[in-house]
Amino acid sequence: MHPRSLFRSAALALAVSLTLGAPSAFAAEKAATTAAASSVQRAAVAQGLYELAFSPTQNALFVASSGGFGDAAGPAQVLRLNPDSLAVEAKIPLERKAFGVVLDDAHNRLHVGNTVDTSVTVVDTASNKAVGIVQLMEKKVGKDGKAGYTHDLRELVVDSPNNRLYVTGHSGEGSVLFVVDTQSLKLINTIPGLGNAKAPGLTLDAANKRVLTSNLLGEVVTVGTDTGKVEQRFKVSAEQPMNLALDPSGKRLFVTDQGLEMIRKYQGNSIPGFVSKHPGQRVLVLDPTTGKELASIATDAGPLGLLLDAPRKRLYVTNREAGTVTAYDSESYKQVGTYDVPTHPNSLALDAKKNVLYVTIKNGDKDGKGSEESVARIAL
C-alpha cells in the first residue's frame, strides 16, 4: 500500500491503532478497578464513525460519519444524537466524507474535516444543515499524470472569540497549518514548517496566542496565531506523538505516544535514518515551552484519543488496540479506572455538567463489511 494511503487508513482518518507499554514512574500505582458494565451504554448508529462533539447549547451529541469506503459505503453525514439515549435525532447530509470535527458552540457551528477532499464543511447545529464548504487546497497533477491533493487533513481546533479555525494539513513532503476565518468562511493563511512528516496532533493555547502541533519526526512545533509563523520546535522522546491536550494553565502538554507497528513501518519507509528506540504505549507529559519531559504514563495498547477534564483532575485516554478507555488522576498520574469498549475506541467528548463521557468505537476485522459502528455513553 502506498504510504499516503497507509497512513490515511491508520492515522489520518483517526483509525490508528504494539508491543508492551514502556515502564512508567507510576506503573506501580496502576492497580485501578475496571468500571462496572452498567455505567457503559452503547448504540450502533452508522458506518464510518470518527470524531464527535457534545453541545451544551443544543444538548446534543454530534458525530461525524464518513459512510465508509467501497461498494458497501453509506452516506456521508453528521448524526445528531440524543445525549441520554444515543438515539439518532437528525441526519445531516454532507456532500463530502466526514472525519474530524470541532464545535464552535457560541456560534452554533460544527466544523467538519473532509479529509480526502482537503476541505471543511460547516454545519449549523441549530438548523441541522450544512451551510458551506471551505476548500483549503486545490488538486495538483503528479508525476503519474493524475490530479490529487498533496495534503490530507486530520485535527481541527477553533478559536471562537477570534473567529479562527486551525486545521492540520499533513504530508511527508511538508505539513502545513491552514487558517480559516469562521465568519467569512475563507482560507486566510497556509503556514508551512510543521515538518516533512505527517503531523497528526493539534491543540490551541489561546491565552498565549499559539497553536501546538506534533509530527512523526518526534517533534512538537509551535505556531504563533498572531505572527502566523513557526516560533518554536523541539524534539520529544515520543516516536509517535499523536493527539495532544493542553492543561488550561498552559504549563503541561499531554501527548499520546501510540506505538503502532503500522506507523513504525511507515516511519521506516518515509523518514531517512529512522530507527525505533521506544515502544510507545504511553502518555507523555511535557513542558510545552521547553519540551522537558515531566512524566511518562503507561497505558493500555494503542493510546490515541485524549481528553483532559481539568476541573475534576481527570485525564481520559482511548486505547485503540486494547478496546478500553482508561482514566487517570491528572495530578498524580495514577490510573483510577478502566472502561471496556471493544473493538477500537477512537475519539472522546465530554458533557462536563453531567460528567458523562462519549466515545466513538470503530469496528474490527471480524465485524461484517458495511456494518454500523458505535457510540458509547459512559456515566463517570
Side-chain angles (χ1 to χ4, degrees):
M1 182 181 291
H2 189 278
R4 180 180 178 187
S5 300
L6 173 70
F7 195 78
R8 174 180 293 162
S9 64
L12 165 66
L14 307 179
V16 286
S17 323
L18 287 215
T19 54
L20 292 176
S24 160
F26 305 96
E29 299 179 330
K30 205 180 171 186
T33 58
T34 298
S38 60
S39 69
V40 181
Q41 177 183 348
R42 180 168 174 159
V45 295
Q47 294 176 249
L49 298 187
Y50 288 94
E51 291 193 330
L52 72 173
F54 174 75
S55 167
T57 299
Q58 300 294 330
N59 189 34
L61 186 66
F62 294 93
V63 186
S65 169
S66 70
F69 296 91
D71 295 337
Q77 58 188 331
V78 167
L79 301 168
R80 179 180 179 132
L81 306 184
N82 181 292
D84 296 321
S85 68
L86 300 181
V88 177
E89 295 183 331
K91 296 181 178 181
I92 306 169
L94 304 179
E95 294 179 13
R96 302 178 180 187
K97 290 184 178 298
F99 296 92
V101 303
V102 67
L103 179 68
D104 183 354
D105 213 27
H107 295 99
N108 295 324
R109 291 290 186 266
L110 184 74
H111 301 281
V112 183
N114 310 130
T115 293
V116 296
D117 296 294
T118 317
S119 62
V120 172
T121 297
V122 182
V123 171
D124 185 311
T125 56
S127 64
N128 295 324
K129 293 181 180 179
V131 295
I133 294 177
V134 184
Q135 188 64 50
L136 302 177
M137 183 174 281
E138 300 300 328
K139 290 182 178 180
K140 293 184 179 180
V141 177
K143 294 179 181 179
D144 58 1
K146 297 180 180 179
Y149 296 107
T150 57
H151 289 65
D152 296 310
L153 303 185
R154 191 170 187 272
E155 291 293 88
L156 307 87
V157 297
V158 66
D159 183 353
S160 181
N162 293 304
N163 302 305
R164 292 292 181 267
L165 173 71
Y166 300 94
V167 187
T168 48
H170 57 175
S171 166
E173 298 176 0
S175 293
V176 300
L177 184 70
F178 298 110
V179 185
V180 175
D181 184 313
T182 57
Q183 289 186 313
S184 66
L185 301 186
K186 300 292 185 182
L187 175 68
I188 58 175
N189 202 1
T190 300
I191 302 170
L194 301 193
N196 291 338
K198 300 292 186 180
L202 178 67
T203 191
L204 172 69
D205 184 359
N208 292 299
K209 299 181 179 181
R210 59 183 179 174
V211 168
L212 295 97
T213 71
S214 63
N215 65 39
L216 291 184
L217 297 173
E219 295 179 325
V220 170
V221 181
T222 302
V223 177
T225 55
D226 279 355
T227 65
K229 296 179 180 179
V230 171
E231 296 183 341
Q232 190 178 26
R233 67 191 324 122
F234 44 76
K235 290 284 291 185
V236 298
S237 61
E239 277 184 18
Q240 297 179 17
M242 301 300 292
N243 287 26
L244 309 177
L246 186 69
D247 190 302
S249 70
K251 295 180 180 179
R252 293 183 301 165
L253 180 67
F254 297 87
V255 186
T256 45
D257 184 10
Q258 195 169 46
L260 180 65
E261 184 58 31
M262 177 182 286
I263 303 299
R264 194 171 289 115
K265 289 180 179 179
Y266 164 81
Q267 291 171 301
N269 291 332
S270 62
I271 300 173
F274 172 81
V275 177
S276 179
K277 298 179 181 179
H278 198 285
Q281 296 195 47
R282 59 178 176 162
V283 173
L284 275 184
V285 188
L286 306 173
D287 182 315
T289 301
T290 65
K292 178 183 177 181
E293 185 174 318
L294 305 177
S296 177
I297 309 169
T299 67
D300 292 348
L304 177 61
L306 275 175
L307 191 149
L308 176 65
D309 183 357
R312 293 186 177 92
K313 298 181 180 180
R314 287 292 180 266
L315 178 72
Y316 300 101
V317 181
T318 60
N319 303 291
R320 208 176 169 277
E321 298 308 304
T324 62
V325 172
T326 41
Y328 303 86
D329 183 304
S330 62
E331 298 297 325
S332 70
Y333 309 125
K334 178 181 178 180
Q335 187 172 325
V336 295
T338 300
Y339 304 89
D340 291 321
V341 283
T343 295
H344 299 306
N346 198 66
S347 299
L348 297 164
L350 179 71
D351 178 347
K353 184 177 180 179
K354 293 182 179 179
N355 199 22
V356 172
L357 191 68
Y358 298 97
V359 191
T360 49
I361 304 168
K362 305 292 295 176
N363 286 342
D365 293 338
K366 296 180 180 179
D367 292 295
K369 185 177 180 180
S371 59
E372 293 182 334
E373 296 184 328
S374 302
V375 173
R377 180 186 190 275
I378 303 174
L380 298 168

